Amino acid sequence: MSEVKQISIIEIAKSIDGEIVGDDSIMITGVSSLKEAKVGYMSFLGNKKYASQIKDTAASAIFVGHDFNKFDAADKTIIICENPNMAFGAVISMFAPPPIEFPLGISESAVIASSAIIGENVHIGPCAIIEPDTVIGNNTVINAGCYIGHETTIGENTFLYPNITIRERCKIGNRVIIHPGTTIGSDGFGYEAGPTGIIKIPQVGIVQIDDDVEIGANCTIDRARFGRTWLKMGVKLDNQVHVAHNVVVGEFSMLIGQCGIAGSAKIGKGVIVAAKAGINGHITLGDGCRIGGTSGVVKDVAPGATVIGTPAEPQREFMTRYILPKTVTKLKAQLKEIEERLKKIEG
Amino acid sequence: MSEVKQISIIEIAKSIDGEIVGDDSIMITGVSSLKEAKVGYMSFLGNKKYASQIKDTAASAIFVGHDFNKFDAADKTIIICENPNMAFGAVISMFAPPPIEFPLGISESAVIASSAIIGENVHIGPCAIIEPDTVIGNNTVINAGCYIGHETTIGENTFLYPNITIRERCKIGNRVIIHPGTTIGSDGFGYEAGPTGIIKIPQVGIVQIDDDVEIGANCTIDRARFGRTWLKMGVKLDNQVHVAHNVVVGEFSMLIGQCGIAGSAKIGKGVIVAAKAGINGHITLGDGCRIGGTSGVVKDVAPGATVIGTPAEPQREFMTRYILPKTVTKLKAQLKEIEERLKKIEG
Amino acid sequence: MSEVKQISIIEIAKSIDGEIVGDDSIMITGVSSLKEAKVGYMSFLGNKKYASQIKDTAASAIFVGHDFNKFDAADKTIIICENPNMAFGAVISMFAPPPIEFPLGISESAVIASSAIIGENVHIGPCAIIEPDTVIGNNTVINAGCYIGHETTIGENTFLYPNITIRERCKIGNRVIIHPGTTIGSDGFGYEAGPTGIIKIPQVGIVQIDDDVEIGANCTIDRARFGRTWLKMGVKLDNQVHVAHNVVVGEFSMLIGQCGIAGSAKIGKGVIVAAKAGINGHITLGDGCRIGGTSGVVKDVAPGATVIGTPAEPQREFMTRYILPKTVTKLKAQLKEIEERLKKIEG
């Protein structure tokens, strides 16, 4: 029904400061990965190891980096640029439908405590609940069904998707994005064996989320036993990540899907915890370290180190362990040979 | 207070086209597993390896398959049928309370955009939010607290349990069932290292859920970076499953509890990914393959193959690895013996 | 802005029945771990292995147990008590802000079926939905956005945080605490391969949650296929725990973050399933057993046993496996030596 959008390759190259090599008269009609591209589409080579896909793609033009070997271009038109992935992202946005606009104002069905301090230019969606003594900063969006607990403060330009729960006394910074279904400020898991059974230890601390943090869907971030559970500036969480009480995550670290950080662990700056990894309580991951997917980390990791496996160990040791069946097969063969030589001697 | 329901074993056998061997005058008063059955109960043998439980069960009658060895029946009454599990399911329904009915109509406290197109015979529950330019098909149920984002379409006879979030522009098919707390259409996890820190890559694609898909509770299905994240016809997801951006899952595949599929992975038809398994991004699982529970799959899996472990490998190789401690113990013994023989020679 | 709260160490020692050794004139102004304490703070030694931290802490006073070696106190003031962790918890509460009060009564925007029986002194928050034929006990709190399905009963003094979904016919006991985003009573994952594709098996049982259970955030507890999924008295679940249909969890067992229990498993009393562990369906974990973090348990575990790894095995066997690379390295060295001796003989 709608006409196909067309953008000239010259306009595209100009917008991302790239250099066209090939046919500069092409009109681009869509975007896609190399494998799924159609004629007229713009694609990108994000990683040189996929260069062989270029000769087979139907894409009409491809973003490549400065390190691209032009012989790999086959007869395709390329745009050489600083960062093919980023350039591609910019073109995606050109073809994308306009972002959803949430109207300014407070929905009639939202329930806002009279003591709440609400900034300017906010959107507060239907059935959102804002409890007493909260502060909501300017230009912040709180979508339908969100719950903001007592005395919690939320900064400016922050965006909460629907059905998020943030309990009392938490501190959420500026330009924070939180995806649906996430819980912030639930009690940490703390019990003591008492004379009459298990006794719950009060969890009276808070969660502090600093500026520019993004938190995926259905994550859980527990409040501290005392003090704070703390995600520092620029931290990014994927979906279904669990952060326990009193954990501190350093600036710009990334916690990937379904990983979990146990209580009081300290994660340094720029750390990547890959998918499904588990980090023990009370340990420290040094700045810039990398934790392999599904790993179980049971002791401190040095800054910059890469560990993998359960219990997690350096990649070299993990590989030694991984090839152990082959190593043992060789030993068996050697043993057999020795036995034969022995027999000969004995015989 | 309520009288015990009674159904004759003849009526039961007839309803599922089974053959009674034993006492056909029994009245059945309930259903249970073999272990927990009481006198008067109907039970079933779902797997021949549990046949030894039959002699100890209190159940008065048991569904068995055509391959059942009648010597295992002890003196129990059995009903021989095509599929004991299915037959048992049918009898469960006979004894179950009637399913909950959700009244037709739109709750007063639901918030429906005027531009939304709502089909006939729908139930839209309290505090459900339907954003502008959405389409909701006939006979569809949207329960309390659900959020349906802008321009999203939902087919006919689809059932959404409470507190589900579906973001903008997603496409949900017919006869889809989604359980509570699930998030559909959250942003994929995509960032690039930029000159001034981490830059978020726009995620402007959608999620497409085809007909007859069922999605468990508290799952997360991310929208595509561009294009679509796609669950094809008949796919079944258990609880807490994470599906990342641009993943495609083929017809009738099953993703079991707490498994996770990383970005752009392609899952074939009829695949089973068992509980807690993790599938790396950008890899392909062939039609009909089986992924063992808790496995970490890091490379393509051939159609029909079974893999297990982390990194996942064929079952045979996994077993070799598993028995390695025993293998090494044997080698140690062999070595010791050789040493003694050597000493003898040397001495 | 607010004055610093001060409590004398004599008052603190008295409140927890402890004995001061050192300066009893100290005024305490806050609480913290040994590592993060400031001058004037109270801290605690929860585990003797951290005793060496005492000499470096800035804390002014420290709770220790009766087994504490006074030589480790350096020149710090200590309070000797029965349980340093519990004592510390009591002092945390002295310094904590007062707990949030939820006003008695039913919010105007809550939607309560006329057939629901609501006890006295309840709080039912905004946009909470209570379906027909439910029972809510006295002094129970149901926070904003919760959904209580048809015919479900909830006991007295139970506390539901926001945005929880409990489906029909479930039974929740007294003094139960449930954290945000949790789903109770979703369908178990059950299908049969039928002649025309996958057929859903009706899940007509319930979930029963006994007294004094606590359930973390974003957990999922499936209803039984028939009968009940059952958490017995005092069971504690951390966040993102998945409990499948027909599972039974015995009294006071603990399921730690992101672990998952597959269908029909039986967990004994006082069991600890550590973080991210997976328990196969239809197996039994004996009373008091311990399951290591990230383990995959595929067969029964004896009462009191500790298992670890995937497939899970006793700790001793796990260690043998863990040190296998070193064992094999030694074998290689032995083999090399033997070869040399052989060559000598042959030469």
Side-chain angles (χ1 to χ4, degrees), chain C residues 82 141 208 288 297:
Chain C
E82 197 60 36
V141 171
Q208 177 177 327
V297 184

Side-chain angles (χ1 to χ4, degrees), chain C residues 135-216:
Chain C
V135 178
I136 311 293
N138 297 333
N139 310 314
T140 279
V141 171
I142 296 182
N143 266 290
C146 284
Y147 173 89
I148 312 298
H150 301 65
E151 300 172 35
T152 282
T153 64
I154 298 183
E156 304 194 341
N157 297 295
T158 280
F159 196 102
L160 270 56
Y161 282 100
N163 288 326
I164 291 163
T165 300
I166 304 180
R167 274 181 51 191
E168 70 273 14
R169 295 172 176 141
C170 294
K171 293 179 184 173
I172 314 292
N174 303 303
R175 297 175 303 280
V176 170
I177 301 171
I178 308 180
H179 287 275
T182 280
T183 294
I184 293 176
S186 38
D187 283 357
F189 191 74
Y191 302 91
E192 273 289 316
T196 58
I198 296 174
I199 297 173
K200 179 174 172 69
I201 298 183
Q203 305 287 315
V204 301
I206 66 160
V207 175
Q208 177 177 327
I209 310 274
D210 288 350
D211 294 348
D212 300 306
V213 167
E214 182 162 1
I215 299 173

Side-chain angles (χ1 to χ4, degrees), chain B residues 183-265:
Chain B
T183 294
I184 293 176
S186 39
D187 283 357
F189 191 75
Y191 301 92
E192 273 290 315
T196 58
I198 295 173
I199 297 172
K200 179 174 171 68
I201 298 182
Q203 305 287 317
V204 301
I206 67 160
V207 175
Q208 178 176 328
I209 311 274
D210 287 351
D211 294 349
D212 300 306
V213 167
E214 183 163 0
I215 299 173
N218 292 36
C219 291
T220 55
I221 304 176
D222 279 348
R223 66 195 314 107
R225 180 179 176 185
F226 56 90
R228 60 189 166 184
T229 304
W230 189 7
L231 305 189
K232 294 189 180 176
M233 191 175 69
V235 164
K236 309 295 181 193
L237 268 60
D238 198 349
N239 295 348
Q240 297 188 32
V241 171
H242 168 46
V243 177
H245 51 178
N246 291 86
V247 166
V248 178
V249 183
E251 287 84 352
F252 296 104
S253 287
M254 290 193 178
L255 310 184
I256 318 291
Q258 299 181 317
C259 74
I261 318 293
S264 299

Side-chain angles (χ1 to χ4, degrees), chain B residues 32 36 83 85-86 88 92-93 98 100 161 163 179 214 218 239-240 256 258 276 322 335 339 346, chain C residues 165 167 169 181 183 189 191-192 200 202 204 220 222 225-226 240-242 258-259 277 321 338 341:
Chain B
S32 183
E36 295 174 356
N83 182 333
N85 200 359
M86 288 293 294
F88 185 65
I92 287 174
S93 296
I100 300 300
Y161 282 99
N163 287 328
H179 288 276
E214 183 163 0
N218 292 36
N239 295 348
Q240 297 188 32
I256 318 291
Q258 299 181 317
K276 286 184 166 293
Y322 179 63
L335 258 180
E339 287 229 306
E346 290 169 335
Chain C
T165 300
R167 274 181 51 191
R169 295 172 176 141
T183 294
F189 191 74
Y191 302 91
E192 273 289 316
K200 179 174 172 69
V204 301
T220 57
D222 279 349
R225 180 179 176 186
F226 56 91
Q240 296 188 32
V241 170
H242 167 45
Q258 299 182 318
C259 73
R321 182 181 304 281
I338 287 173
R341 284 156 69 187

